[in-house]
Amino acid sequence: MDLITPAQRDELFNQFERDAFHLELRDDYGSPVEDTPYARWQRGEPDDYAWLDAWTTLMKRVTGEGKAVRRVRVVTEPHSQYVRWEHSLTHLNIEMGEDIRWLPRHLLPEEITFPLSGNDWWLYDDSLLAVGHFDPEGRVLGSEIVEAADVVTQCAGLRDQLWSLAIPHAEYKP
């Protein structure tokens, strides 16, 4: 399987026309970009958020063009330490123009199954998926591009179902 890097995946934001949707299913992630700020947060130290500058610039440009960037974060309650940190930062994503909702795992309908081996994915314009792959410690290995119509259609349907069930960030009280 060929994987693209996170930077190559971010380039897909320059190509989509209407909607980018991210399904997040993990309670812990590992990213070299986040390692230092996460450790600072764990120690109670302040963060200048400079590590988010490239993402902030990209998201403000994309959403400023009228394109939607949405996420549903399916999370276990009580939250892992990583999800608590992620929740504390989500106001920054909102300020960038993203729309983020939370879905406690215990509220998932029993009949839901996750395609793509339960991996996270970005869906761009209901036509292309960038499926995240991780090592056993949760470190990002890269993304697999999937364009098979049946898989894309299944993921678009799941997106719509989960979006309707998920709680907007402003209303979610962990």
Side-chain angles (χ1 to χ4, degrees), residues 28-47:
D28 197 16
Y29 291 89
S31 167
V33 171
E34 294 180 344
D35 287 346
T36 299
Y38 182 44
R40 276 190 210 125
W41 177 82
Q42 289 173 311
R43 293 189 301 266
E45 298 172 6
D47 190 342

Side-chain angles (χ1 to χ4, degrees), residues 83-131:
V83 169
R84 286 195 307 276
W85 177 63
E86 184 177 54
H87 188 270
S88 77
L89 297 172
T90 299
H91 69 95
L92 299 170
N93 297 86
I94 303 293
E95 291 167 13
M96 294 173 207
E98 294 185 55
D99 190 354
I100 299 178
R101 293 185 180 187
W102 300 83
L103 183 55
R105 202 172 304 280
H106 69 274
L107 297 179
L108 284 168
E110 288 183 26
E111 72 275 5
I112 285 192
T113 58
F114 293 103
L116 303 163
S117 303
N119 287 324
D120 292 8
W121 38 264
W122 278 99
L123 174 60
Y124 300 91
D125 291 333
D126 294 348
S127 63
L128 180 137
L129 290 158
V131 181

